[in-house]
Amino acid sequence: MKQLMTARQLKLAVLASGRGSNFDAICRAIERKDLNAQILVLISDQPQAPALAKATARGIEALPINPRDYSGRDAYEERLVRELEARQVDLVVLAGYMRLVGKVFLKAYEHRVLNIHPALLPSFPGLNAQQQALDYGVKFSGCTVHLVDEGMDTGPIIMQRVVPVLDDDDQETLSQRILKEEHELYWQALQLIAEGRVWIEGRRVVVKAD
Ligand code: GRF
């Protein structure tokens, strides 16, 4: 078994394409001192993402990097990696980052990129996970924090939280119920890593006692 990271105050970069509510929830956990981490930079592939303004409002560096300014995914990810390395980031936190991570990024940050997905993986990967759950008719869904690999929401699972699906749910009500749990789960998973308690072997992630 390999320890994901020795205990430390985590130096994080957050990548977000949109609204940034998970980013905000992580910031609040840091402020409350529930999470031993600092966020060095918020990077967005969408120059108009509300997450950028949220970072600026909190005094966190907000860095737009538009993939359209690059010749292809490799060139775009080389820039990302340069920015992350320049800040000596320990972990990259994807929070509503709407792109697949490619090999350039993963080679530089293997087992150091996390994502949160609004379903109980491996069910309902990809877009519109909450609607997929409703359409399928499951009675429970939830959210998953996982390590990122080259697939779509396929990396090793760190933590999951279950949420009931109610008979009168629509996409909006189910998404809200799941999002509330996302906002707790993400910082809790990060804190376990900060405590040096997360170990990995193959696909299996084990959280060890203190
Ligand atoms: C969340 O539902 C997250 O699970 C998914 O994208 C959404 C991002 O929301 N990956 P926000 O930008 O953090 O508010």
Side-chain angles (χ1 to χ4, degrees), residues 90-189:
D90 292 314
L91 271 184
V92 184
V93 175
L94 307 188
Y97 178 68
M98 303 303 284
R99 277 173 196 281
L100 275 177
V101 172
K103 59 181 184 318
V104 169
F105 194 168
L106 283 172
K107 188 161 175 260
Y109 283 87
E110 206 210 346
H111 285 162
R112 293 201 287 152
V113 186
L114 269 73
N115 184 42
I116 190 157
H117 183 74
L120 294 176
L121 292 171
S123 293
F124 316 129
L127 291 176
N128 302 320
Q130 303 93 335
Q131 188 62 49
Q132 290 185 56
L134 284 172
D135 292 346
Y136 197 93
V138 291
K139 301 301 183 193
F140 292 92
S141 190
C143 46
T144 303
V145 174
H146 64 95
L147 292 169
V148 173
D149 63 13
E150 270 183 88
M152 169 88 82
D153 302 319
T154 51
I157 291 169
I158 300 177
M159 283 176 94
Q160 295 186 301
R161 186 76 61 88
V162 177
V163 163
V165 180
L166 305 182
D167 291 343
D168 58 355
D169 265 338
D170 58 22
Q171 203 253 344
E172 181 58 31
T173 56
L174 179 59
S175 298
Q176 280 305 324
R177 193 174 308 115
I178 293 173
L179 192 64
K180 196 162 168 278
E181 299 303 323
E182 291 183 42
H183 292 167
E184 287 292 301
L185 192 70
Y186 219 170
W187 70 258
Q188 290 176 7

